[in-house]
Amino acid sequence: MPGDQELFDAVLQADRDRVIAAVRAGVDGGTPVSSLLMDCMVPAMREIGDRFAAGELFIPEMLFAARAMQAGLDIVEPLLGDSDHGSLGRVAVGTVKGDMHDIGKNLVVMMLKGGGYRVTDLGVDCSLETYEAAVAEGSTVLCCSALLTSTMTYMKQVVGRFQKDPAVKVIVGGAPVTRAFAEDIGADGFAEHASEATRVVSACLAGSAPAR
Amino acid sequence: MSGEGDGAMERLYAERLARYTTAMRNGRPDMVPIRPFVAEFTARHAGFTCQEVTHDYDKAFEAARRCAVDFDWDAVVSNMVYVWTGLTQAMGLRYYGVPGIDVPPDVGFQYLEPGDDGAFMRADEYDELIADPTAFLYNVWLPRVSSEVMQPGEASSYRGNLALVKGAMAMMQYFGAFGTQNARLRCESGTVSAIAGIFKAPFDILADKLRGYVGLCMDMCEQPSKVLEACEALMPHLYHVAKTTADPLQQVPIGYWMHRGCVPFVSPDQFASHYWPTVRPIIEELWRHGHQTLFYAEGDWKHHLESFRELPDQSIVYHVDQADVFDVHERLGDKFCLSGGIPNFLLAHRPASEVRDFCKKVIDVVAADGGYIMDASAIMQHDTRGENLAAMTECTREYGVYSGGTSSPPATPIVAEGSLSAHGGSATRPGQCVEWAKKAASLPVLEGDADLVEEVWNNIDSLGNVFIWQWLLSF
Ligand code: B12
C-alpha cells in the first residue's frame, strides 16, 4: 500500500474524520486519486468484508465503515477521470418490487463501492423500469436483493427482461435466495454474503459461467 | 357452549390442547402437533384479497376459521393478519403501508421503518424516555407516529381529539372480538388459539419503534450506557404487558417476536451487555408465574443458543426460522420444545413432494422424542401454496405418530413475586398513567368507601396504559 497506511487504517477503523483528513492530505500531496481509491480504500473495504464474512465484524461496524468510506469517496469521486475507475464497470443495486428490506442491499452497495466499482443505488421497491433506466444510464451489472419469499420471484422477471441482452448481467441475493434458485431463474450470478459481491460481479464482467 | 352435538368437537379440542401443551413442555404427546403461523395465506385460501382481510377483521377471522376447518391443525393464531385498518386509520398511523391505500390490494400490509433522519425518537431524548416511558410514549412518540394527535402544548384539535376517541374505541372493539373468535375456533373446528399475550425485547422496541435500527447502531457506539439505561427502564413495563396479556390458564405461551438482537445485527458483546440481560430476567419471572414464552427467533440466532440454555428447562418454546433446525435440535432439544424450521421457500415455490421429504426428515430427527411442533420457518404470506401446506399436514399425521405417547397436563411452577413487578424507577408505575396519589390530592377528603374510589380510578387509568403500550407492541 504505497504511501497511505493512514487512509487504509482510517477506513478500517471507520473513522470518518480521519478518512477525510487522509484523503485531503493525499490529494494535496499529489498522490493520484486512483491510487487513493484502489490502493488504500479498496483494500480496506475488502478487509472489512472478509472480517464480516469471518464473523469478526458485525453490521453496525459495516455501517460505520460505509459512512467513513463514503466521506472519502465524496472527495475522491469528482476528481476521478472516467478511465480511473470506469474500466471496472458500472453496477446498479436495488431491492426488488414490493420489497422494502434494505439493510442487506446497503451492505452490497457498500462492498461494491469499496471494490472500486461505480455504483448506482436504486433503493427499494425497484420495478423493471427502474432497472431498465439504470441500464440506459450505463450499468452493465444489475444486483437484485429480496428478503421475502413473495418478492424473490420478481427476480425472475428481471432476469427474463435482460436475457436477450448479453451485455447486461443480473446477480441475485438476499436471505431466502439460494444458489439453486438463482440457477433456476437463469441469473448470471449469486452470492450468499455481501462480501462476495465484488468477486461475483468481477467474474460476471469477465464473462464467466452463470450462477456460480 | 357444549350442547349435545358439540361433545365430539369439545373432545377434539381437549385432545389437541393436550397434544400441543405436552409437546410445548418438551414432552411426548400422542402425535406431533401442527401449529402453522398462517398470515395472508388465510386470505388466499378463503378467497379474499389482502385488502379485504386487513380492512375488515371479520373477514380475517373468517379466513382463519376456514383454514382451521379445512386443515387438520391443532392450533392456529386467531388472526395473524393482525393489523386492522380501522385502528390505523383512526389514529392516522404513519408506519404502516396498507393494502389498497399505500400498497396494491393484493400485497400484505407492511411495517415501514423510517430512516435514521425520520426516527420517532431522537438521539438526545433518552433521559426523557428513561424518566417515564409511559409519559414519553403519550407526549412525544404518539404525536409523531400519528398524523392526527397533537403534541402537548399545541392547540388541541377536533381531529386530534377524534383520533384518540376512535383509536381507543376501535382497539376495544377489535380486542373484544378475539374472545368470540377463539370460542368459535374451539367449537367449530376444535382448534386451539396458539398464543396469548405479547412480549418484545427492550432492545428491539428501541430499534423497531423508537430509534430505528441504524439510529440505535449509532447510539450503541456513541452512548451505549444510555441505551442500557433505556432498556432497563422499559423492562418492568414490557414485563407488565406480557404478564397481563398472558393466558390466565397458563396453557398457551406468550408470543415473543425476536427481531434484531442477534449477530450480525449486533456484536456478541452487545448481545451480552444490552440485549440478553434485559430479556432474561423477564422470561424467568414469567416462568415463575407459570407462563411459557414462545421465542419466535426470526433470522438465525445460532450464536446465542448457549445463552438461551441459561433459562430454566421448559420455560420457553423455541421457534426456528432461518437457522438449521437439526443443529438447533442438537443444541437445545434436551431443554426446550422446538417449532418450525420448514423453509417458506419450499412451501411457496417447490413441489409438494419436496415439502414431504423435508417434513419427514424433521419428524424423524427433531421430533423423534417429542418436543417438536410442526410449522413453517416464517409466517406464511399469500405466496404459500395450499397443496404444500396440505402435504406438510398429511405427512405429519402419517409419520408423526408416537407409540406410547402421553398427554400429561403441564405442571404448574411455583409462583413467587420477583423484582420486576416493582416500580423499576420510572415516574409512572407499570400499568398506570396517572397515579392515584396524584388524583387523590385533587379530591376533597373522601367519605364512605375510599378504597372503592381508588380501585375504580386505577382500573380506568390502566386502560390508558393498555392503549399506549399496545400501540407500541402490537401495532
Ligand atoms: C429488518 C427486517 C424488517 C424491517 C426492514 C428494515 C429495513 N430497512 O430493511 C421491517 C420492519 C421494515 C420489515 C418489514 C417486513 N418484513 Co421483515 N424482516 C426483517 C428481518 C428482522 C431482518 C432482515 C435483514 O435485514 N437481514 C440482515 C441482512 C444483512 O441480511 P440479508 O438482507 O439477507 O443480506 C445479506 C445477504 O443475503 C447478502 N445479500 C443481500 N442482498 C443481496 C443481493 C445480492 C445481489 C448479493 C450478491 C447479496 C445480497 O448480503 C447481506 C450480508 O451478507 C427479517 C428476519 C431476519 N432476522 O432475518 C424479517 C423478515 C425478512 N421479514 C419478514 C416479513 C414477513 C416482513 C413484513 C411482510 C412484515 C409485515 N407484515 O410488516 C414486512 C414487509 C415489508 C416489505 N414489503 O418488504 C419475514 C419474511 C417471511 C417470508 N415469507 O419470506 C422475515 C424473514 C421475518 C419472519 N421470520 O417472518 N422487516
Side-chain angles (χ1 to χ4, degrees):
Chain A
M1 199 161 324
D4 220 332
Q5 183 71 37
E6 167 63 10
L7 178 53
F8 176 88
D9 289 344
V11 174
L12 202 60
Q13 288 158 28
D15 191 330
R16 201 160 166 259
D17 295 341
R18 265 173 67 205
V19 169
I20 294 172
V23 170
R24 290 233 169 90
V27 172
D28 293 346
T31 314
V33 277
S34 61
S35 164
L36 291 176
L37 179 66
M38 299 310 287
D39 300 329
C40 307
M41 292 165 72
V42 168
M45 286 309 291
R46 190 177 306 135
E47 177 73 26
I48 287 170
D50 289 347
R51 291 192 191 175
F52 178 70
E56 293 161 20
L57 281 187
F58 310 95
I59 296 176
E61 284 116 324
M62 297 276 279
L63 293 175
F64 295 135
R67 287 189 180 202
M69 177 193 65
Q70 188 61 50
L73 281 180
D74 287 344
I75 305 172
V76 167
E77 266 182 337
L79 304 175
L80 281 172
D82 250 1
S83 59
D84 285 331
H85 83 174
S87 57
L88 276 184
R90 207 180 183 109
V91 186
V93 188
T95 303
V96 295
K97 194 168 177 209
D99 204 318
M100 307 292 168
H101 295 84
D102 68 359
I103 301 174
K105 184 267 298 169
N106 292 345
L107 297 182
V108 173
V109 167
M110 139 192 194
M111 288 315 299
L112 290 172
K113 279 189 179 171
Y117 292 95
R118 205 166 265 200
V119 183
T120 312
D121 185 344
L122 302 174
V124 297
D125 196 21
C126 297
S127 62
L128 286 180
E129 292 77 57
T130 314
Y131 291 108
E132 279 163 3
V135 169
E137 278 164 26
S139 292
T140 52
V141 180
L142 301 176
C143 292
C144 303
S145 179
L147 263 285
L148 299 166
T149 52
S150 57
T151 56
M152 63 193 284
T153 44
Y154 197 75
M155 293 173 160
K156 190 171 176 180
Q157 295 189 43
V158 181
V159 170
R161 168 63 187 80
F162 296 102
Q163 211 146 37
K164 292 202 186 71
D165 190 345
V168 179
K169 308 286 183 194
V170 180
I171 297 176
V172 296
V177 181
T178 59
R179 190 171 300 277
F181 177 80
E183 278 168 10
D184 232 38
I185 63 170
D188 298 295
F190 160 80
E192 199 164 316
H193 290 293
S195 50
E196 300 156 35
T198 34
R199 189 186 51 75
V200 179
V201 168
S202 88
C204 263
L205 287 170
S208 84
R212 44 144 286 127
Chain B
M1 189 170 34
S2 58
E4 265 296 277
D6 295 344
M9 204 52 91
E10 195 50 34
R11 264 197 304 284
L12 180 62
Y13 176 84
E15 222 171 75
R16 283 173 167 170
L17 180 64
R19 181 175 305 144
Y20 182 45
T21 51
T22 303
M24 286 195 295
R25 299 299 166 115
N26 215 14
R28 198 181 149 105
D30 57 342
M31 49 179 111
V32 174
I34 309 175
R35 183 222 60 196
F37 274 14
V38 277
E40 284 82 2
F41 170 79
T42 60
R44 174 182 174 153
H45 180 73
F48 294 128
T49 62
C50 290
Q51 180 179 31
E52 286 175 299
V53 289
T54 315
H55 285 256
D56 180 350
Y57 66 73
D58 279 330
K59 288 197 169 120
F61 285 176
E62 184 185 333
R65 291 197 306 272
R66 186 83 66 82
C67 286
V69 168
D70 291 349
F71 294 92
D72 180 11
W73 293 340
D74 297 293
V76 298
V77 175
S78 15
N79 181 17
M80 198 65 231
V81 189
Y82 55 89
V83 169
W84 171 42
T85 327
L87 272 167
T88 58
Q89 301 270 70
M91 298 291 286
L93 211 56
R94 294 180 196 276
Y95 53 65
Y96 279 115
V98 170
I101 298 178
D102 312 292
V103 298
D106 219 9
V107 170
F109 74 83
Q110 40 195 273
Y111 180 71
L112 307 166
E113 186 171 289
D116 48 336
D117 37 3
F120 299 129
M121 171 182 158
R122 292 197 305 263
D124 60 3
E125 290 175 332
Y126 275 96
D127 286 333
E128 208 179 331
L129 171 74
I130 292 161
D132 195 339
T134 303
F136 181 84
L137 291 174
Y138 264 114
N139 294 334
V140 182
W141 182 76
L142 190 60
R144 287 185 189 154
V145 299
S146 159
S147 62
E148 312 286 312
V149 175
M150 297 290 148
Q151 238 144 19
E154 261 180 327
S156 76
S157 72
Y158 176 55
R159 298 259 313 230
N161 292 339
L162 261 185
L164 289 169
V165 174
K166 291 197 300 188
M169 303 273 271
M171 190 183 280
M172 285 284 237
Q173 180 186 328
Y174 185 44
F175 283 174
F178 276 88
T180 317
Q181 169 74 347
N182 292 348
R184 288 188 69 174
L185 281 169
R186 178 174 180 157
C187 63
E188 290 171 18
S189 56
T191 315
V192 178
S193 170
I195 48 176
I198 188 159
F199 176 64
K200 280 180 187 159
F203 191 88
D204 270 334
I205 285 292
L206 284 174
D208 291 354
K209 289 282 177 69
L210 295 165
R211 292 287 296 130
Y213 171 67
V214 176
L216 187 59
C217 286
M218 308 292 277
D219 299 342
M220 286 299 287
C221 180
E222 284 156 13
Q223 41 177 345
S225 56
K226 280 284 171 227
V227 177
L228 182 58
E229 258 186 82
C231 288
E232 286 166 349
L234 287 167
M235 281 174 77
H237 298 270
L238 295 173
Y239 166 74
H240 177 85
V241 176
K243 171 89 191 333
T244 50
T245 51
D247 177 6
L249 299 175
Q250 305 172 339
Q251 288 167 333
V252 301
I254 298 163
Y256 165 25
W257 309 94
M258 301 160 73
H259 292 160
R260 286 171 289 188
C262 61
V263 165
F265 295 101
V266 298
S267 68
D269 289 346
Q270 291 171 337
F271 177 87
S273 62
H274 285 65
Y275 189 90
W276 188 231
T278 53
V279 165
R280 179 183 164 177
I282 298 180
I283 306 302
E284 288 173 341
E285 181 131 340
L286 289 169
W287 179 238
R288 273 197 290 275
H289 287 265
H291 299 293
Q292 278 187 307
T293 307
L294 170 65
F295 274 45
Y296 199 84
E298 292 189 11
D300 187 347
W301 293 68
K302 63 169 176 276
H303 291 95
H304 312 293
L305 301 185
E306 281 312 307
S307 300
F308 301 152
R309 287 193 67 86
E310 294 163 6
L311 295 169
D313 286 6
Q314 300 178 31
S315 58
I316 68 169
V317 175
Y318 189 84
H319 182 85
V320 181
D321 179 14
Q322 287 153 32
D324 176 354
V325 66
F326 303 101
D327 175 57
V328 179
H329 169 64
E330 266 177 35
R331 296 172 57 191
L332 293 184
D334 60 323
K335 277 180 84 84
F336 312 121
C337 167
L338 306 188
S339 67
I342 312 297
N344 291 62
F345 175 70
L346 280 188
L347 293 161
H349 302 304
R350 303 301 301 169
S353 58
E354 276 184 39
V355 174
R356 283 180 69 88
D357 291 347
F358 194 88
C359 290
K360 186 167 182 306
K361 214 169 124 196
V362 171
I363 293 167
D364 287 345
V365 179
V366 181
D369 302 315
Y372 174 75
I373 297 165
M374 182 56 72
D375 187 8
S377 295
I379 56 158
M380 285 173 269
Q381 295 194 283
H382 52 309
D383 57 341
T384 309
R385 287 191 196 152
E387 67 266 32
N388 285 1
L389 265 179
M392 179 180 105
T393 308
E394 284 154 19
C395 171
T396 309
R397 288 300 182 237
E398 199 173 320
Y399 297 106
V401 179
Y402 295 105
S403 54
T406 56
S407 43
S408 49
T412 311
I414 316 109
V415 179
E417 207 67 24
S419 58
L420 274 168
S421 314
H423 221 266
S426 48
T428 308
R429 236 179 338 139
Q432 298 294 159
C433 291
V434 178
E435 303 277 339
W436 167 246
K438 275 193 199 140
K439 175 67 187 170
S442 72
L443 296 176
V445 177
L446 297 177
E447 290 177 42
D449 192 344
D451 290 346
L452 181 63
V453 183
E454 178 177 349
E455 193 188 319
V456 171
W457 173 266
N458 283 336
N459 286 346
I460 296 302
D461 186 65
S462 74
L463 294 178
N465 186 277
V466 168
F467 178 75
I468 197 69
W469 286 91
Q470 283 299 332
W471 276 115
L472 185 72
L473 270 102
S474 296
F475 304 107

